[in-house]
Structures are given as C-alpha cells and as structure tokens.
Amino acid sequence: MSKSGKILLIIAAILLGIFLLAVRPAIKSYNNMVTFEEDINGKWSQVTTDYQRRMDLIPNLVNTVKGYADFEKETLTAVVEARAK
C-alpha cells in the first residue's frame, strides 16, 4: 500500500472515530427521551385508572346516601308520630 493510501486510511479511521464519538451521545439522548416518554405514559395511565376507580365508586356512594336518607326519614317520621300521640 502506498504512503498516500495509508494516510487516507488513517484519516478515514480518525473521521470514523470522531463520528462515532459524536453520534453516541445523540443515541443516548434519544434513548433517554424514549424512556422518559414511557414513564410519562405509564403515570398518565395510572391517573386515568384512579379516575375510573373513583367514577366506579360514585354509584356506591349515592346508594349509601340514599339508604341513610331513608333511615333519617323513617326516624323523623317516628319522632313526629310519637310527639303527636
């Protein structure tokens, strides 16, 4: 191999090394962004799950309040009837 061929090979190797050193942080940054995005999506999924759980509990709460209101109504009716006698 001629002297100029060796020089070109060395220059190509140096350029390739510089390119790889420049690309590696970009790839790492991209991977970090993907990881952060997955974390965010997971946390939002947890939020929507919590909201759905709360929405599922509302009918139970309404039925509990209705039952207590019926109890209060019966108690008030009994007290009023007792006073009337």
Side-chain angles (χ1 to χ4, degrees), residues 13-51:
I14 291 171
L15 289 175
L16 180 63
I18 292 171
F19 176 75
L20 291 177
L21 287 175
V23 169
R24 186 170 183 220
I27 292 172
K28 187 173 179 178
S29 295
Y30 176 76
N31 287 339
N32 284 339
M33 285 188 285
V34 170
T35 302
F36 292 148
E37 183 178 13
E38 290 298 319
D39 288 344
I40 290 169
N41 289 340
K43 290 183 190 227
W44 272 116
S45 175
Q46 183 64 36
V47 168
T48 57
T49 301
D50 288 343
Y51 283 152

Side-chain angles (χ1 to χ4, degrees), residues 33-78:
M33 285 188 285
V34 170
T35 302
F36 292 148
E37 183 178 13
E38 290 298 319
D39 288 344
I40 290 169
N41 289 340
K43 290 183 190 227
W44 272 116
S45 175
Q46 183 64 36
V47 168
T48 57
T49 301
D50 288 343
Y51 283 152
Q52 185 61 47
R53 188 177 312 126
R54 287 180 184 183
M55 291 298 293
D56 292 342
L57 291 175
I58 288 174
N60 293 340
L61 181 62
V62 168
N63 289 333
T64 301
V65 171
K66 282 181 181 178
Y68 189 74
D70 288 341
F71 171 75
E72 287 291 321
K73 183 178 178 183
E74 291 171 6
T75 304
L76 181 62
T77 304

Side-chain angles (χ1 to χ4, degrees), residues 1-11:
M1 188 177 249
S2 68
K3 188 174 183 180
S4 64
K6 288 181 183 179
I7 293 174
L8 286 176
L9 187 60
I10 291 171
I11 291 173

